[in-house]
Amino acid sequence: MELGIDSFAAVVSDPLTGVTLSPADRLANLLEEIEVADASGVQSFGVGEHHRPEYLDSAPGMILAAAAARTTRIRLNSAVTVLSADDPVRVFQQYATLDLLSRGRAELVVGRGSFIEAYPLFGLNTQDYDSLFQEKLELLLRLREETHVHWSGRHRAPLRGQGVYPRPYQERLPVWVGVGGTPESFVRAGLLGLPLMVAIIGGAFEHFRPLVELYRKAGAQAGHAPEALRVGVHAFGFVADSDAQARDAFWPGYARMLETLGRERGWAPPNRAQFDAACGPRGPYLIGAPDTVAAKVRHVHGALGGVDRLTFQMTNVLMPHAQMLRSVELLGTQVAPQVQAL
């Protein structure tokens, strides 16, 4: 199993000083996190895409390109690219360029996004939420197979054989499909034979087993080899020297983030007892000491019938930078060696 980290490049305040980092300083810290992840043995790092004031990742490919120049081994991916609201030609060109800069370490995780700000920003109708994604994913996959594409659809001007450059370093740019809990999304990924990245931010991991099996069944029926049907999981995670330290460090920023989203979406305020339960042996959060987190990773692997990549959503809006770097280091040096044989 591969272990990775995902970041949403959130604006961060230091709880010890009360100072909110400038955007430039926050991005500098994020690049250092990726460097430490690379040096520590973490195998992938993803940057999300948002178009909101509390995030700095509206152009994740730019952040990943800067990271490519500072790293040598770690795979670099979007987490996720909101493909429905973008142009597949530009997405392909950007990540093919990233692949060249990193000498074959770029990947795309594409999805429809859990926020809708990108749709009106780029003049799109949210009523076309699914058809936009389906059509643009079809075009993206054609672009990675063919340099000169003949294609037409509803949501974009047709292509009449123009060349799309540059071509990536890898023979086929890896494209994962990011999904939540919609069965149709799992089936679509399976039918296409694309690797699956499942966002699990609540509920028991076991509850997602039927959906993962649906993906595998659809892929098998479509004739795809089992090794092509890779399963990834994206979940809240954080590592510290003890379980108590990890929970105490992660809770303040986690609570502030959920309070902010809750005001928009009508959620109840977060509860510390519920958070601690979610960090427990059967909960959905991978937060604790290295041995605790490694045991939870093994549990996830078994609960879903095998997981190929598990990415830790470590973004936290109230976290001292040194504490985040320590967590990244522990994930790579102490957790990863315990689970790579899975």
Side-chain angles (χ1 to χ4, degrees):
M1 181 194 289
E2 299 173 1
L3 292 186
I5 295 170
D6 288 335
S7 174
F8 289 170
V11 174
V12 171
S13 299
D14 189 323
L16 302 179
T17 65
V19 174
T20 297
L21 295 180
S22 71
D25 287 342
R26 171 66 183 111
L27 288 176
N29 284 355
L30 176 58
L31 290 175
E32 187 176 5
E33 291 169 25
I34 303 175
E35 287 184 272
V36 171
D38 182 54
S40 301
V42 177
Q43 290 159 297
S44 70
F45 204 105
V47 177
E49 178 188 338
H50 300 85
H51 301 269
R52 298 168 59 89
E54 65 267 32
Y55 297 110
L56 301 170
D57 57 3
S58 63
M62 295 288 287
I63 299 172
L64 294 170
R70 302 181 182 210
T71 57
T72 58
R73 297 178 298 174
I74 198 166
R75 299 194 67 79
L76 301 166
N77 60 271
S78 57
V80 301
T81 292
V82 185
L83 185 62
S84 306
D86 211 333
D87 181 349
V89 173
R90 291 300 286 153
V91 169
F92 181 83
Q93 291 174 326
Q94 289 161 9
Y95 281 83
T97 303
L98 174 63
D99 203 43
L100 294 170
L101 290 169
S102 65
R103 295 188 178 270
R105 293 185 283 127
E107 300 184 358
L108 271 162
V109 182
V110 299
R112 295 175 294 185
S114 60
F115 294 93
I116 64 169
E117 287 82 5
Y119 293 83
L121 181 63
F122 297 111
L124 300 168
N125 193 329
T126 54
Q127 292 182 345
D128 296 326
Y129 185 77
D130 191 64
S131 65
L132 280 164
F133 180 72
Q134 185 169 336
E135 179 178 295
K136 291 184 177 186
L137 178 58
E138 173 196 334
L139 177 54
L140 180 67
L141 296 178
R142 287 279 301 278
L143 291 166
R144 75 170 181 170
E145 302 299 329
E146 306 170 31
T147 303
H148 300 272
V149 174
H150 293 266
W151 175 93
S152 64
R154 286 180 53 210
H155 301 292
R156 190 200 186 279
L159 293 176
R160 308 186 192 280
Q162 302 98 313
V164 177
Y165 305 104
R167 306 309 295 177
Y169 188 92
Q170 298 172 87
E171 183 176 350
R172 297 177 86 229
L173 189 66
V175 176
W176 298 64
V177 177
V179 300
T182 307
E184 292 79 7
S185 297
F186 286 78
V187 171
R188 174 163 47 207
L191 292 175
L192 293 171
L194 296 174
L196 183 78
M197 181 58 68
V198 189
I200 301 178
I201 59 173
F205 290 105
E206 292 89 342
H207 294 166
F208 288 82
R209 178 71 176 262
L211 293 169
V212 171
E213 292 301 335
L214 193 63
Y215 160 73
R216 291 177 171 135
K217 181 178 179 181
Q221 290 177 341
H224 299 294
E227 57 269 22
L229 302 173
R230 302 181 69 201
V231 174
V233 170
H234 160 105
F236 281 118
F238 188 78
V239 191
D241 292 296
S242 72
D243 290 350
Q245 288 176 4
R247 295 179 186 185
D248 288 345
F250 202 78
W251 163 253
Y254 165 90
R256 177 175 288 188
M257 180 189 69
L258 287 192
E259 286 168 359
T260 301
L261 290 178
R263 285 193 293 270
E264 295 181 12
R265 302 185 179 188
W267 298 345
N271 178 289
R272 177 63 193 256
Q274 292 173 340
F275 170 78
D276 287 338
C279 298
R282 293 294 181 265
Y285 299 167
L286 297 101
I287 296 174
D291 289 349
T292 300
V293 172
K296 179 68 78 67
V297 171
R298 290 190 289 269
H299 167 69
V300 176
H301 185 72
L304 295 178
V307 172
D308 299 285
R309 178 180 292 177
L310 202 161
T311 64
F312 285 58
Q313 173 47 272
M314 296 175 68
T315 305
N316 194 283
V317 300
L318 290 173
M319 179 69 66
H321 182 50
Q323 214 163 6
M324 181 60 73
L325 294 181
R326 174 63 174 163
S327 182
V328 172
E329 180 185 12
L330 288 172
L331 179 64
T333 60
Q334 296 194 29
V335 178
Q338 295 189 53
V339 302
Q340 284 173 349
L342 292 175

